[in-house]
Amino acid sequence: MSTQRVIVVMGVAGTGKTTVGRLLAAALGVPYAEGDAFHPAANVAKMSAGTPLDDSDRGPWLDAIGEWIRNSGELRGGVIAASALKRAYRDRLRAAAPGVVFVHLTGERGLIEKRMADRRGHFMPTTLLDSQFATLEPLQEDEPGVVVDVSGSFEDVTERALAALRGLRIHEN
């Protein structure tokens, strides 16, 4: 895998996107960006109030992430954590920057819910987990990326992600 690629660590809330994303970026020696930082204040307020985002809320957020990938990430590679729950969202990111590769973090709902409940200082309440799972369209075979189970330590998850990425064959267009 080229270090010029940008990796989007995706999945529902509580899968460890931020932690695994930071660990992946460190292991690869590339910049890391937190997708939540690209949300407009109105999105954060909506989620903090327990209201799920809709596609119109996510549009500007996805465009901002796509711009980071295009302007910052593709020049030197990078890792960004972003839920990217729907195929259309991932397609939008790939339209902005075709070299994107996805790491879909997935796991048992009980584990994810526990991790969400245990974290502190995050605006996403556990009450939105149902809407996250309802919105999720898993990574498809024709999308460039890998699926990684989140059980075990974050270091274990990161090692599995790195191994899966090394085995990934990307077909350039």
Side-chain angles (χ1 to χ4, degrees):
M1 188 185 83
S2 166
T3 57
Q4 294 346 48
R5 290 217 179 265
V6 174
I7 298 166
V8 175
V9 180
M10 60 163 286
V12 300
T15 54
K17 295 182 296 292
T18 296
T19 303
V20 172
R22 286 183 177 139
L23 290 169
L24 277 174
L28 296 170
V30 297
Y32 171 77
E34 175 52 53
D36 286 342
F38 293 85
H39 274 297
N43 283 10
V44 174
K46 194 171 184 179
M47 288 183 284
S48 295
T51 304
L53 300 180
D54 60 28
D55 288 351
S56 65
D57 297 321
R58 288 188 179 100
W61 173 68
L62 290 165
D63 291 342
I65 290 172
E67 184 176 339
W68 180 86
I69 293 169
R70 188 175 49 254
N71 293 335
S72 301
E74 282 194 331
L75 297 175
R76 60 191 184 279
V79 175
I80 187 165
S83 55
L85 296 176
K86 287 186 179 182
R87 170 72 184 248
Y89 305 162
R90 298 186 297 273
D91 288 348
R92 191 169 180 157
L93 293 175
R94 286 188 314 175
V100 167
V101 175
F102 298 95
V103 171
H104 180 183
L105 299 182
T106 186
E108 195 273 323
R109 182 190 170 87
L111 172 63
I112 293 168
E113 191 169 14
K114 181 183 180 334
R115 286 183 177 170
M116 258 185 104
D118 288 347
R119 66 186 183 182
R120 299 289 172 248
H122 196 280
F123 60 81
M124 177 73 90
T126 56
T127 56
L128 288 181
L129 191 56
D130 286 339
S131 72
Q132 292 267 296
F133 274 107
T135 302
L136 177 64
E137 296 172 2
L139 194 66
Q140 300 298 302
E141 286 185 27
D142 66 327
E143 294 180 272
V146 297
V147 178
V148 179
D149 182 76
V150 298
S151 60
S153 72
F154 288 120
E155 290 78 11
D156 292 340
V157 174
T158 303
E159 285 303 316
R160 286 195 299 271
L162 287 166
L165 287 166
R166 282 190 292 271
L168 187 63
R169 301 289 182 254
I170 303 293
H171 302 288
E172 300 294 338
N173 292 337

